[in-house]
Amino acid sequence: MTVVEERPAPPAAPPPRRVNRLWALLRNSWRQLTSMRTALVLLFLLAIAAIPGSIFPQRAVDSQRVTEYYAAHPQLAPWLERLGGFEVYASPWFASIYLLLFTSLIGCVVPRLLDHIRALRIAVPDAPKRLERLPLSATKDLAGTPAEAAATAAQVLRKHRFRTKVREHEDGSWTVSAEKGYLKETGNLFFHFALLAVLVGVGFGHWYGWHGNRILVAGADQGFCNSLAQYDDSTLGPRVDAADLPNFCLTLDKFVAGYQDTGQPKAFSATVGVTQNDGPVETREFTVNDPLRLHHANVHLIGHGYAVTLRFTDRYGETQTKTVPFLPVDGMFTSEGVAQFPDVNIDPKTDKRDATLQMGFEGRYLPTVGTGATSTFPAENAPAIFLTAYRGDLGLDVGTPGSVYSLDQGQIATGDLKNVSGARPHELKIGETWTLDDGTKLEFVGTRPYATLAIRYDPTQSTILIGAVLGLIGLMLSLGGHRRRVWFRALPASADSGSGTLLAAGGLPRTDYPGFADEFTALVTAAEEGNP
């Protein structure tokens, strides 16, 4: 009878710890995030996410266009507002892509930089034993010793800017190892670090930068000082306060516009009087592509138009003169705008005003009147203005917000503002006077050119410029560089060969390089002839 000895079962493996599973998940997620494929996907997503910023008006650039978009698309605009469509570059979803791309690039580029530095410090590996198995190979019989052949080959390779390493072996043979094309990886790293610099510049520029837009009328008794209250619209970075704005003032002394015969713009120039830090007034001139550069501010000329001067005389004989900018609606500077006269019909005896008799004039200005309702040329060859008069309560006394370029259509619809000029707009040429039904008069005095100025400050502008230039240089190096290796082995010839040295050569392209075969042949020939 055979007794079978029972062995105890091995203990069961402990279940994996939750901490280890979490660490593995984090490690794999980090590897996926910092892969080059993920970085390319995020870069592509960032480009797609920037598209709405060029399609929809952005509040930081032109808040008036956002207001106009609300009026034109009352159903769509609130949804776009919720999704950040009018502030794309400040929206959380755009910032998340931006930060993920930034993190991915850092996690991808830093290890590659360390590997590249390590590769530059390590000597080129020795020649393989079977050079004939490489994609390119050749053998030559040379006179002289192996040491002389190796020295000549090394001299040839160094002349062609190869990193070269010469080694002597115990069997009397000599090998020459050479490598070239590290600029490809260097350029690749340059490009990615330049992209990081641009991303950092954009981020810090948003934090510490600011910008604002202002319309200035040429020759008018008005100026502009750099304060938030005097901007038509402005945006400060999160780390900028109103007290941080530089101290300067501007007056638009002259604006000149030139046009081709087709009406296309030819040249624009603005002459301004500048006062900085309470100093003397300086006269400066700038154009569209040559901004006015001040201390911590650049003034850009981004648009222009015509400001209409109207003089209104109420029924008590009191006059008011206003110069109001009219906004262009087409390339021929057909312009639309509104002039409001709230302080009218004040009885000089009682000093009381009837708010229901305030006047608003909405109209269209044509620099060159043609056969239709639009201008035929942007210059003032035959100027005229077409106005519709409204009488009633403009809503200014109670502080009702509204556009300065159009009357409130809701007040017109409810009858608070009544059309008192008839079905068709009234035409006025410069110098003409229009007498309304209640005896009040409106005179078209003339026009003045105005300029739309964008005043901006970006403290990281130089960083972004340097990053862009380095990125282009790195991209050219990356596209133009080709990494390849070449080896020579010089062996003592056999006794029956009749020559002193057998020189074997092999070449290995590390990247796609169609011209490597010709380069390899030229190197072997130069080493054979002893002519570096």
Side-chain angles (χ1 to χ4, degrees):
M1 182 176 179
T2 304
V3 179
V4 179
E5 183 180 357
E6 295 185 359
R7 297 181 179 179
R17 298 175 59 186
R18 180 172 300 179
V19 175
N20 293 340
R21 292 199 299 268
L22 179 60
W23 173 251
L25 177 62
L26 293 176
R27 181 182 57 200
N28 294 334
S29 300
W30 174 255
R31 288 176 179 175
Q32 187 67 28
L33 177 62
T34 57
S35 66
M36 183 56 66
R37 178 181 299 177
T38 303
L40 293 175
V41 171
L42 290 173
L43 187 61
F44 180 69
L45 287 177
L46 190 69
I48 294 178
I51 293 177
S54 61
I55 296 177
F56 303 111
Q58 299 299 294
R59 185 171 284 107
V61 178
D62 192 345
S63 59
Q64 179 61 32
R65 289 189 60 197
V66 177
T67 303
E68 295 173 357
Y69 194 91
Y70 261 92
H73 305 85
Q75 302 296 328
L76 178 61
W79 286 99
L80 290 176
E81 184 72 50
R82 296 187 186 97
L83 297 175
F86 301 123
E87 294 180 342
V88 170
Y89 308 110
S91 61
W93 51 269
F94 189 86
S96 62
I97 300 175
Y98 176 93
L99 294 175
L100 283 175
L101 176 60
F102 187 78
T103 306
S104 178
L105 284 175
I106 292 179
C108 176
V109 172
V110 172
R112 286 181 58 182
L113 175 63
L114 298 178
D115 293 339
H116 186 55
I117 295 174
R118 191 178 301 111
L120 290 174
R121 297 178 60 184
I122 297 176
V124 185
D126 200 359
K129 294 182 179 180
R130 305 290 297 273
L131 292 176
E132 67 275 8
R133 293 186 176 181
L134 295 177
L136 297 175
S137 62
T139 56
K140 301 291 182 179
D141 291 326
L142 305 178
T145 63
E148 293 173 346
T152 301
Q155 189 176 3
V156 169
L157 292 168
R158 290 193 182 100
K159 182 181 178 181
H160 289 80
R161 298 187 299 274
F162 278 81
R163 293 177 60 233
T164 306
K165 177 69 174 180
V166 181
R167 296 179 177 90
E168 181 182 7
H169 297 270
E170 296 179 356
D171 59 355
S173 64
W174 290 73
T175 58
V176 181
S177 304
E179 189 171 22
K180 187 179 182 180
Y182 276 95
L183 283 179
K184 182 177 183 65
E185 180 65 10
T186 302
N188 213 334
L189 292 172
F190 251 84
F191 173 77
H192 286 89
F193 274 106
L195 184 59
L196 283 174
V198 171
L199 292 175
V200 171
V202 170
F204 277 88
H206 171 69
W207 279 358
Y208 296 98
W210 56 270
H211 69 270
N213 296 334
R214 173 62 190 253
I215 290 179
L216 281 184
V217 179
D221 296 332
Q222 64 171 343
F224 162 75
C225 290
N226 191 29
S227 64
L228 291 182
Q230 296 196 31
Y231 278 107
D232 296 328
D233 59 83
S234 60
T235 301
L236 300 182
R239 305 297 178 89
V240 180
D241 294 326
D244 298 329
L245 298 180
N247 181 18
F248 66 86
C249 296
L250 296 175
T251 57
L252 183 60
D253 299 332
K254 183 180 179 182
F255 182 85
V256 178
Y259 305 95
Q260 300 177 0
D261 295 338
T262 59
Q264 297 297 319
K266 182 170 58 177
F268 305 117
S269 65
T271 303
V272 295
V274 183
T275 303
Q276 298 189 73
N277 297 321
D278 301 325
V281 178
E282 302 178 16
T283 300
R284 305 278 289 274
E285 184 176 342
F286 63 102
T287 59
V288 174
N289 296 320
D290 184 19
L292 174 64
R293 303 190 183 278
L294 305 175
H295 180 65
H296 284 177
N298 293 326
V299 183
H300 300 264
L301 182 61
I302 63 172
H304 69 101
Y306 297 100
V308 176
T309 302
L310 300 173
R311 180 181 294 120
F312 180 78
T313 304
D314 64 16
R315 59 184 180 177
Y316 296 105
E318 299 294 329
T319 62
Q320 295 183 52
T321 302
K322 288 195 173 184
T323 300
V324 291
F326 274 43
L327 300 181
V329 296
D330 59 21
M332 295 300 169
F333 280 78
T334 302
S335 306
E336 295 180 348
V338 63
Q340 302 182 61
F341 296 92
D343 297 324
V344 299
N345 298 314
I346 300 178
D347 190 344
K349 297 180 180 180
T350 62
D351 198 28
K352 292 183 179 180
R353 178 182 61 187
D354 188 351
T356 62
L357 297 180
Q358 298 175 3
M359 295 300 301
F361 296 89
E362 192 172 51
R364 171 172 288 201
Y365 173 70
L366 279 60
T368 302
V369 177
T371 57
T374 58
S375 176
T376 59
F377 197 77
E380 292 184 304
N381 295 333
I385 190 170
F386 297 83
L387 294 172
T388 301
Y390 292 91
R391 184 182 296 123
D393 188 359
L394 296 174
L396 302 179
D397 294 339
V398 295
T400 303
S403 173
V404 296
Y405 301 107
S406 63
L407 295 177
D408 189 345
Q409 298 302 313
Q411 289 182 309
I412 296 176
T414 57
D416 292 337
L417 288 176
K418 296 181 180 180
N419 185 343
V420 294
S421 59
R424 298 185 61 181
H426 187 83
E427 179 181 359
L428 286 177
K429 299 186 184 304
I430 294 178
E432 293 183 347
T433 301
W434 177 20
T435 302
L436 280 76
D437 57 344
D438 61 347
T440 58
K441 298 179 180 179
L442 183 73
E443 180 185 358
F444 182 18
V445 179
T447 64
R448 292 178 179 178
Y450 71 80
T452 304
L453 306 180
I455 305 172
R456 302 176 181 276
Y457 174 62
D458 186 355
T460 60
Q461 189 175 27
S462 300
T463 302
I464 296 176
L465 176 62
I466 294 173
V469 172
L470 291 179
L472 289 176
I473 294 175
L475 186 61
M476 289 187 291
L477 291 176
S478 177
L479 295 176
H482 303 282
R483 191 174 175 185
R484 62 268 195 199
R485 287 177 177 175
V486 175
W487 292 277
F488 285 94
R489 176 178 284 112
L491 299 168
S494 58
D496 56 352
S497 65
S499 60
T501 300
L502 178 64
L503 184 66
L508 175 65
R510 301 294 299 276
T511 57
D512 186 20
Y513 182 24
F516 181 58
D518 296 336
E519 182 184 28
F520 177 78
T521 302
L523 292 173
V524 173
T525 302
E528 178 186 10
E529 296 175 354
N531 183 16

